[in-house]
Amino acid sequence: MKKIDRKRLLREMVFFRRFEDRAFEAYMERKIGGFLHLYSGQEAVATGVLEVVQAEHGVGFDYVITGYRDHIHAIKAGAPAQEVMAELYGKETGSSKGRGGSMHIFDPSVRFMGGYALVGQPFPLAAGLALACKHQNEGRIAVCFLGEGANNQGTFHETMNMASLWKLPVLFVCENNRYAIGTAIQRSTAVIDQYKRLEAYNIPASQHLGQDIEVVMEAAQPAVDHVRSGAGPYFLEFLTYRYRGHSMSDAGAYRSKEEVAEWKQQDPLQILAKRLIEAGELTEEEFKAMEQAVQDEIDNDIIKFAEESPEPKVADLTKYVLDDNPDPRWIGPLQAQGGRQHG
């Protein structure tokens, strides 16, 4: 592993936390509508894993896909933060031109192949992306992030079986935050340690603490190396915790205050900041200045861009529903059968 720029990674995680905080505030101000699922508390997982993935070929080389808690994965994968926030605002300048909202961030220009609202939906899509990578033979891999709640879906088991059988170059990253919406893992899942479930599919797997970004990166490196070598899939489980509710409508009554407080003692931002301060690489004043600079950037750049961007036009309501340049191999037969006309 290359030398880690720990101060840059700390700033990135501070940025991600403040991005989500401002999204929370904008939602409360009714500037963001629909659903909103925030990543606060889990920043070390996406930041650390994708840092390792991007180390060899850079941002936008490999495919990344995830579920509906997707803002930070998208930004770390290379999607512009301005466009992600604009998408939350439902603006024309958003990454999905205001049509997708929080759960459907999408930017194929950096091979971020989306967040998905359907639980477990990204598993087979990740396998398809990995199969394409294998056929193209250009060294790319697919990285699939999902929570532990998705692992009880049929798509999980079907995908793990095929990924193993075909030795697909896909890295599965399980962000185990202990709750599937408001249901504790002990109440819904027979095998609590998710990495153990992969033994049934002959997929190497391991479990790690997801609150310390250096632990995350150390665990991710051999997993990425394994997948990129052509040896087949790998499954990483990270024990983590979301500090806010499942969504904006979730008051979190199913979690005790003591439990939340205990996990906040393992805040990924504070763990790394404390380590840098103790190592003499950062001072308390520099950390406070970093936080303020990030806050200013989000307020004066990210939020400003979203709020000043135009709304989608009503006249364009049906735009992007059908392909503007349909392939005649399928549109002709479709019309011949009395299907919908294009245009």
Side-chain angles (χ1 to χ4, degrees):
M1 184 185 299
K2 297 179 181 179
K3 184 177 180 180
I4 303 172
D5 186 347
R6 301 196 294 182
K7 289 178 70 172
R8 175 179 60 79
L9 292 176
L10 176 60
R11 191 188 191 284
E12 285 188 18
M13 290 197 295
V14 170
F15 181 92
F16 296 152
R17 178 71 58 84
R18 299 297 174 255
F19 183 98
E20 297 290 69
D21 288 346
R22 287 297 281 116
F24 175 90
E25 293 168 8
Y27 190 97
M28 298 303 291
E29 295 166 354
R30 298 189 177 183
K31 294 177 180 178
I32 294 176
F35 290 96
L36 187 69
H37 303 84
L38 302 175
Y39 197 62
S40 306
Q42 301 182 203
E43 295 89 351
V45 180
T47 308
V49 170
L50 290 180
E51 182 71 17
V52 172
V53 170
Q54 295 164 353
E56 185 173 350
H57 298 287
V59 174
F61 181 79
D62 298 298
Y63 290 101
V64 179
I65 191 169
T66 187
Y68 45 73
R69 202 177 306 278
D70 58 350
H71 316 153
I72 304 313
H73 303 78
I75 298 171
K76 181 61 178 173
Q82 285 183 327
E83 295 179 11
V84 174
M85 185 63 78
E87 185 61 34
L88 304 188
Y89 271 66
K91 297 299 184 73
E92 184 69 30
T93 56
S95 56
S96 297
K97 299 189 180 298
R99 274 75 168 175
S102 172
M103 295 192 287
H104 303 102
I105 306 299
F106 193 83
D107 191 344
S109 71
V110 292
R111 294 190 172 85
F112 180 74
M113 305 312 288
Y116 291 83
L118 296 179
V119 176
Q121 180 65 27
F123 287 129
L125 298 178
L129 292 168
L131 182 59
C133 291
K134 187 171 184 176
H135 283 312
Q136 292 167 350
N137 195 29
E138 295 175 344
R140 290 189 176 87
I141 67 172
V143 184
C144 179
F145 292 87
L146 273 178
E148 82 293 339
N151 296 345
N152 289 335
Q153 300 295 313
T155 52
F156 170 82
H157 300 279
E158 294 171 9
T159 301
M160 297 305 136
N161 181 62
M162 296 310 298
S164 179
L165 185 65
W166 291 348
K167 292 191 179 301
L168 298 181
V170 54
L171 174 63
F172 296 104
V173 183
C174 174
E175 300 183 275
N176 184 352
N177 62 24
R178 299 162 53 90
Y179 293 92
I181 306 182
T183 302
I185 190 171
Q186 294 88 346
R187 298 181 60 196
S188 64
T189 306
V191 179
I192 303 302
D193 294 323
Q194 296 299 287
Y195 77 102
K196 293 180 180 179
R197 304 175 79 169
L198 279 298
E199 184 176 353
Y201 303 105
N202 198 28
I203 294 177
S206 55
Q207 182 190 76
H208 312 271
L209 177 65
Q211 302 304 91
D212 186 332
I213 191 169
E214 292 191 85
V215 170
V216 170
M217 293 178 68
E218 184 177 354
Q221 188 64 64
V224 171
D225 291 343
H226 172 91
V227 174
R228 210 178 287 283
S229 73
Y234 198 102
F235 183 95
L236 282 171
E237 177 187 7
F238 289 106
L239 305 178
T240 186
Y241 202 81
R242 53 174 167 77
Y243 292 157
R244 296 191 184 275
H246 167 74
S247 65
M248 293 298 292
S249 62
D250 176 17
Y254 48 87
R255 306 190 299 188
S256 69
K257 293 181 180 179
E258 292 76 16
E259 178 183 297
V260 175
E262 180 181 349
W263 276 93
K264 284 191 173 181
Q265 293 300 311
Q266 301 180 64
D267 187 324
L269 278 63
Q270 296 302 322
I271 287 175
L272 185 55
K274 181 180 179 182
R275 186 172 297 150
L276 293 181
I277 290 170
E278 291 178 347
E281 298 178 32
L282 184 74
T283 66
E284 292 277 4
E285 293 72 21
E286 288 172 334
F287 182 47
K288 291 178 181 178
M290 177 188 293
E291 292 182 305
Q292 186 59 55
V294 165
Q295 188 66 56
D296 292 344
E297 179 184 353
I298 290 177
D299 288 340
N300 301 329
D301 182 18
I302 310 301
I303 293 294
K304 186 173 185 289
F305 177 82
E307 294 189 347
E308 293 181 354
S309 291
E311 300 278 353
K313 297 177 181 178
V314 175
D316 293 337
L317 183 63
T318 60
K319 194 174 183 181
Y320 309 115
V321 175
L322 296 176
D323 188 354
D324 290 334
N325 297 290
D327 188 326
R329 290 176 297 178
W330 66 263
I331 196 65
L334 179 65
Q335 290 176 347
Q337 295 169 19
R340 290 184 61 185
Q341 299 290 317
H342 181 271

